[in-house]
Amino acid sequence: MDLNRLNQWLNLVASIGVLIGLIFLIVEINQSNRIASYAAEHSRRNQFIELNTVRIENAEVHAKLVSGDAGLSPSERAQALMMARQMINTWKDAEAAYNHGLLSDETFDTTLKDISITLKEIPGLVPYFAYLVDAYELEHESLLVSRRLADEIQKAGN
């Protein structure tokens, strides 16, 4: 009888140990998820900082694009195309992070608003965005960012 009672106590202690281990694991997973979400939000903000840095470093080209000046040299047109491509990639990356639960609704909404704001503030980029939307057939993609960009380009053309 004593051995049977000891076995019961050992099973109880082992079960409690397993339960404590599972609770610890859940806490660790939640913490890891919070860290991943913060890292995605932080990365998103850094991408927007990098976009602004590109604009600052290419202030002359950026000023022409803001004013809608079509008098860009071939190298300035290449810079404008790369700026547009970088912005599209940043926006699409934000949607991928959002779809995987790594980006808040607020930050993703800001990303979608950035599309409209960029096209209004930098009208000289509209032809480059239009070229990329056509070249990559983005209007046919299921991504919300691609459809929003195609819609905004169409509005800008009207």
Side-chain angles (χ1 to χ4, degrees), residues 108-144:
F108 185 60
D109 288 343
T110 301
T111 299
L112 292 176
K113 288 175 187 172
D114 190 56
I115 294 170
S116 304
I117 292 167
T118 298
L119 291 175
K120 286 175 188 164
E121 289 181 350
I122 314 172
L125 278 179
V126 172
Y128 299 97
F129 283 126
Y131 164 75
L132 292 170
V133 165
D134 287 343
Y136 292 119
E137 299 179 351
L138 297 180
E139 72 274 7
H140 301 298
E141 283 193 9
S142 61
L143 293 177
L144 181 57

Side-chain angles (χ1 to χ4, degrees), residues 28-96:
E28 289 296 314
I29 289 172
N30 284 336
Q31 183 179 7
S32 293
N33 287 341
R34 287 192 316 271
I35 290 169
S37 292
Y38 169 76
E41 296 277 342
H42 181 71
S43 173
R44 182 75 36 241
R45 284 170 178 64
N46 280 341
Q47 283 181 321
F48 283 113
I49 290 168
E50 288 173 16
L51 286 173
N52 289 331
T53 302
V54 167
R55 292 173 184 166
I56 292 166
E57 290 173 349
N58 298 292
E60 192 173 303
V61 174
H62 182 68
K64 288 180 181 181
L65 293 169
V66 167
S67 69
D69 183 0
L72 297 175
S73 70
S75 66
E76 290 172 330
R77 284 194 299 275
Q79 287 177 318
L81 182 62
M82 292 305 118
M83 283 181 195
R85 188 172 279 141
Q86 184 180 19
M87 286 179 218
I88 289 173
N89 288 333
T90 297
W91 295 329
K92 289 175 75 172
D93 182 55
E95 185 165 4

